[in-house]
Amino acid sequence: MGGKAERRGSEPKKCGACGPGFASPLDAMKGKSEIQGKQGRALCCLGMPCRQGALAPPRHGPREEIVYVPCIYRNTGRKKPDFLATVDVNPKSPHYCQVIHRLPMPNLGDELHHSGWNACSSCFGDATKKRNRLILPSFISSRIYVVDVGTDLRAPRLFKVVNSEDVFWKCNLGYPHTSHCLGSGEIMISTLGDPAGSGKGGFILLDGETFEIKGNWEKGDKIPPMGYDFWYQPRHNVLISTEWGIPKCLGYGFDPNDLKKGRYGRHLNVWDWTTHTYIQAIDVGEDAAPLEIRFLHNPDAAEGYVGCTISSAIHRFYKTEQGDWAAEKVIQVPSKKVEGWLLPDMPGQCIPRPGAEGLPGFPARCWCCRLFVQLCRFITDILISLDDRFLYFSNWLHGDIRQYDISNTRKPKLVGQVRQQQAPGRIPTVFLHLLGTAGISPILAVSATQTFGLLQVFVGGSITKGGPVTVCRDEELQSQPDPFLIKGKRVPGGPQMIQLSLDGKRLYVTTSLYSAWDRQFYPDLVKDGSVMLQLDVDTERGGLTVNKSFLVDFGKEPDGPCLAHEIRYPGGDCTSDIWV
């Protein structure tokens, strides 16, 4: 419903007693503010409406009722602007799993991607700050949209547009990505390159009141050759940023010819938080393409994890006894040797074949068409639960979401509790494959595969039975899983962006990575639109279960199928809020 939101009752007042967010990550899980923790908590401190003076002391954090999701039309063939969707995720609502409001952007071809807040838990205790503006950088156009969510949470409205020309001229940067609020009240946005599309890992600094560009955050002449995501921790005087690739190379799709030419990132870049200077590069491997980076939420912790996309590895980064920073690989997802992958640009280690040179769209001597290739994994998103107990990540190409116990941060343990009969003495794990290629089922197709002492539950996948891909060698599975459908719909694409509820019990998933790569790897995703799914999480023993009643189908949008990306809660979440 274009410009009107479904509403329930009158809009209550907001007290704003303690500023945005929570005093600590554990308070966020419990829904308890610092100032009012002994008597309860004010809902407005969570970014939710409340009655003046109304308090409630729940044992767990408040359940999310709505989420914001950027939806993209670029590369879909539909000349429509991207929009911000408000999705009802309250199971008691008559509009459950529905888009209840759409805020279209005023321009075409922006490629909305990630989002952030004007204020978060880094500003907790400052009653002058409010979490009432959502920051939406546009990855391709380099515009920055500021959206008012404070006037009406369920019907956001456009507040301000920062034009790309201002970004170019004032910062000499382009291709903005991650937005984080700072304890100072300013807003910081990472970038991938300069206005010409060459690599440049700098940062845009916005004023937190006017949203005017203040200039570059970084100082000095030394700048990383690429950028992407970042996280900061003032208690350790550090900011660490990551590298995807050179924008003008990755902007039109993945080209294997760009590998081994320095066009994809390989470093974690360490910055001095106080001086804003670039001080160290940590090498995580050629063409690793480290993307999402997360410190542990405990602000005293000097460690965290980063997901490397092309190398499909998780690295733990940490502060050494000498005071510098280092990284070690703690998880490696093995590739699969397959036959019949139909996308000639599929990344992997291709077996050369005489006579394959010159085939249209193929790199020289690449043997990709219905022949053997190594099917890479593409770890595309990671997050850590607020209690720093579980690490989650998505494998966009293989199609699974994994949950690891990180109680021992150096030795993450794959965990899961399977809700069906399993062999005695086995260690249960869960892999959720959400890609789907063929098959019919009224609700859900599930197969259990026993492999190496682990019971794995699959709900579809790009390597599903009956599809074009045959797995010839697999270090994890003994057979290919069955296809996946939910509510009668075959799910195109793979699990990509993930978001965890504050209490850690619900994991939300969308399936679009980036429109140019969606079109290349999953043509049906662009044609049919992406989806949002929800998984139930066992927070005691570990485990993931698909919620069979939850499906948001962005293929049914009034202006045609679109691509849904990152997920945000109005009150903050475990990928937006930083405790200082």
Side-chain angles (χ1 to χ4, degrees), residues 214-234:
K214 298 183 70 173
N216 296 67
W217 176 85
E218 68 275 11
K219 297 179 180 178
D221 297 329
K222 192 176 180 182
I223 303 294
M226 302 177 201
Y228 186 72
D229 194 24
F230 74 102
W231 201 275
Y232 64 88
Q233 187 40 257

Side-chain angles (χ1 to χ4, degrees), residues 37-51:
K38 294 183 179 180
Q39 298 143 343
R41 57 91 174 94
L43 287 176
C44 67
C45 301
L46 318 180
M48 299 179 181
C50 71
R51 300 286 176 187

